[in-house]
Amino acid sequence: MKKIHLTGKLMAFLCLIFIASSCMSGLEEAEEVQVTELPEEEISEIPESENLRKGRTFKYMEVFSNQITPISFPNENPEIPVNEITFLPGTGKGVARFMGRATSYINQLATSETTSIGAPVTQFYGEELAKLGLKKIPDEVSSVTVDRRGNAIFFKSLENIATPINETLTIFVAEVEIVGGTGRFRGASGEGIVEGRFNPTNGKGSSVVKASLRF
């Protein structure tokens, strides 16, 4: 594999970021946004007992700063008319409701210059996630958000659509599904929206995930 220089069409490919995986609350700022803490009341606890969680729905939110690094492979599928297939793995740092400080791992597959779909997060982060105790993650999981105690939410990313604003700013929106998790998020499901921004020249960005979390 080889890393791709952020020039030409590859700059456009960065429009496909998920985030993992995850824009800060101030989407009006074009460059890097500093992560701010969610209000203390927003980091409330989901009950540890499965009986107390069962049948309930919670409003979930996470706010992250992200770094995406495109990686390409030679295309060996004759049905796909491109010379290279581009993946968009990355990581994020920020805060999440019910977690506090958390980390995200994401992976996307470029489908055009302005769209992407989720790809297995374990493709690039399997070993790192395993060290955190997250093993046997299904291939449909394209993003994982995990706290320092090992509580994790698994996301399946649907199509992501990006809109270039200028040379250093692209905004994007994506739909995600919650397809399980570990710890207090075991058995979780739900759906949500990711909104964010990034700089196509260096892969730095930010994102906000808002979702319904059901048990």
Side-chain angles (χ1 to χ4, degrees), residues 41-101:
E41 64 269 19
E42 302 290 353
I43 311 177
S44 57
E45 296 291 327
I46 288 178
E48 296 287 350
S49 168
E50 292 187 13
N51 289 332
L52 293 177
R53 297 195 304 261
K54 189 174 181 180
R56 298 180 65 182
T57 299
F58 300 84
K59 290 183 179 181
Y60 175 78
M61 179 179 180
E62 63 181 51
V63 183
F64 278 79
S65 291
N66 310 307
Q67 175 66 60
I68 301 296
T69 303
I71 296 176
S72 69
F73 296 95
N75 178 28
E76 299 178 355
N77 187 344
E79 297 181 1
I80 303 177
V82 294
N83 294 326
E84 294 181 324
I85 295 177
T86 302
F87 290 92
L88 302 165
T91 59
K93 294 287 186 180
V95 290
R97 188 172 292 172
F98 313 123
M99 292 188 186
R101 288 284 174 179

Side-chain angles (χ1 to χ4, degrees), residues 112-126:
S112 78
E113 292 186 351
T114 56
T115 59
S116 72
I117 57 175
V121 68
T122 53
Q123 180 179 9
F124 298 101
Y125 299 111

Side-chain angles (χ1 to χ4, degrees), residues 2-3 23 29 34 38 63 89 94 96 116-117 119-122 126 139 148 170 175 184:
K2 63 178 181 179
K3 291 186 177 179
C23 152
E29 296 183 16
Q34 295 297 319
L38 292 174
V63 183
S116 72
I117 57 175
V121 68
T122 53
D139 286 345
R148 59 188 177 185
T170 293
E175 296 181 14
R184 65 169 58 94

Side-chain angles (χ1 to χ4, degrees), residues 19-207:
I19 238 25
S21 323
S22 303
C23 152
M24 310 310 296
S25 57
L27 283 177
E28 70 280 359
E29 296 183 16
E31 297 297 331
E32 275 188 88
V33 184
Q34 295 297 319
V35 173
T36 57
E37 293 283 358
L38 292 174
E40 191 66 30
E41 64 269 19
E42 302 290 353
I43 311 177
S44 57
E45 296 291 327
I46 288 178
E48 296 287 350
S49 168
E50 292 187 13
N51 289 332
L52 293 177
R53 297 195 304 261
K54 189 174 181 180
R56 298 180 65 182
T57 299
F58 300 84
K59 290 183 179 181
Y60 175 78
M61 179 179 180
E62 63 181 51
V63 183
F64 278 79
S65 291
N66 310 307
Q67 175 66 60
I68 301 296
T69 303
I71 296 176
S72 69
F73 296 95
N75 178 28
E76 299 178 355
N77 187 344
E79 297 181 1
I80 303 177
V82 294
N83 294 326
E84 294 181 324
I85 295 177
T86 302
F87 290 92
L88 302 165
T91 59
K93 294 287 186 180
V95 290
R97 188 172 292 172
F98 313 123
M99 292 188 186
R101 288 284 174 179
T103 303
S104 66
Y105 300 86
I106 61 180
N107 190 24
Q108 293 283 304
L109 171 63
T111 53
S112 78
E113 292 186 351
T114 56
T115 59
S116 72
I117 57 175
V121 68
T122 53
Q123 180 179 9
F124 298 101
Y125 299 111
E127 291 186 7
E128 194 165 348
L129 289 166
K131 291 178 180 179
L132 297 174
L134 305 178
K135 303 177 180 179
K136 298 181 179 180
I137 299 175
D139 286 345
E140 67 173 340
V141 176
S142 57
S143 175
V144 172
T145 297
V146 58
D147 67 17
R148 59 188 177 185
R149 297 174 294 278
N151 298 297
I153 298 178
F154 299 159
F155 293 95
K156 175 183 178 180
S157 177
L158 307 180
E159 187 176 54
N160 306 304
I161 300 175
T163 303
I165 303 301
N166 55 46
E167 291 184 356
T168 60
L169 174 62
T170 293
I171 61 175
F172 64 90
V173 62
E175 296 181 14
V176 293
E177 294 179 357
I178 296 173
V179 291
T182 63
R184 65 169 58 94
F185 302 108
R186 187 183 306 277
S189 63
E191 56 282 318
I193 297 292
V194 183
E195 294 181 305
R197 62 179 54 242
F198 70 96
N199 183 335
T201 66
N202 58 23
K204 295 181 182 297
S206 57
S207 61

